[in-house]
Amino acid sequence: MDYFNPQLDIREINNLSMLGLAHVGDAVYELMTRTLLCAEGHAQASDLHHRTVEYVNASFQAAAAAKILSLLTEEELGVYKRARNAKVHSVPHHAQVSEYHAATGLEALFGYLFLQGKKDRLNELFHAIHREEP
């Protein structure tokens, strides 16, 4: 198995829990964020960490989800909504419950797309999240 390009069968992906998809998607989203920051020239470890934390948190990810909802296919929106509505066992103290749920939906969507090997779609959505508004 190529873990950087898994391309799981849709049945295998659908057998995973929404929180399992979010677990994978959290790592995918953070890796994409770290790559973006390095590509922008942020080289010092402390700067990279602080910048990463700005983008990889419930509040930012909830806003990111809202930004791309209109771009999602019906299937993607279904994954997002199922994960957003999944029962989580705890919410970090620094996050609002609604933001944490939306962030979980975004992470599950990224996990879902990654496990299918849909890198182009991941890049498209990630770019839309980080595109500067006119």
Side-chain angles (χ1 to χ4, degrees), residues 5 7 14 16 22-23 26 55 59 63-64 70 74 80 102 111 129 132:
N5 192 28
Q7 296 186 6
N14 287 335
L16 299 172
H23 180 72
D26 177 48
Y55 297 121
S59 180
S70 66
E74 188 175 316
Y80 168 80
I129 288 167
E132 294 295 322

Side-chain angles (χ1 to χ4, degrees), residues 30-31 36 59 66-67 119 133:
E30 184 163 344
L31 179 59
L36 169 71
S59 180
K67 199 171 184 181
K119 292 184 215 168
E133 299 298 326

Side-chain angles (χ1 to χ4, degrees), residues 6-128:
Q7 296 186 6
L8 295 178
D9 181 275
I10 195 68
R11 289 184 316 254
E12 294 172 294
I13 296 169
N14 287 335
N15 283 332
L16 299 172
S17 71
M18 287 295 120
L19 297 181
L21 288 176
H23 180 72
V24 171
D26 177 48
V28 171
Y29 185 84
E30 184 163 344
L31 179 59
M32 293 178 83
T33 299
R34 289 174 179 230
T35 302
L36 169 71
L37 294 172
C38 287
E40 289 179 341
H42 301 280
Q44 294 186 354
S46 62
D47 182 41
L48 284 170
H49 174 73
H50 288 99
R51 297 288 306 248
T52 299
V53 170
E54 287 178 26
Y55 297 121
V56 183
N57 66 67
S59 180
F60 184 88
Q61 288 176 314
K67 199 171 184 181
I68 63 167
L69 282 179
S70 66
L71 304 175
L72 300 182
T73 66
E74 188 175 316
E75 176 185 1
E76 292 167 348
L77 186 59
V79 170
Y80 168 80
K81 286 181 176 181
R82 284 193 308 277
R84 181 195 62 196
N85 295 333
K87 181 166 175 57
V88 294
H89 301 290
S90 64
V91 175
H93 297 296
H94 60 276
Q96 293 181 10
V97 173
S98 61
E99 290 177 336
Y100 190 73
H101 284 286
T104 300
L106 179 72
E107 291 170 349
L109 174 62
F110 272 57
Y112 181 79
L113 294 171
F114 175 77
L115 291 174
Q116 291 183 71
K118 294 186 175 181
K119 292 184 215 168
D120 289 341
R121 184 60 173 153
L122 282 166
N123 283 317
E124 181 182 336
L125 294 174
F126 192 77
H127 177 73

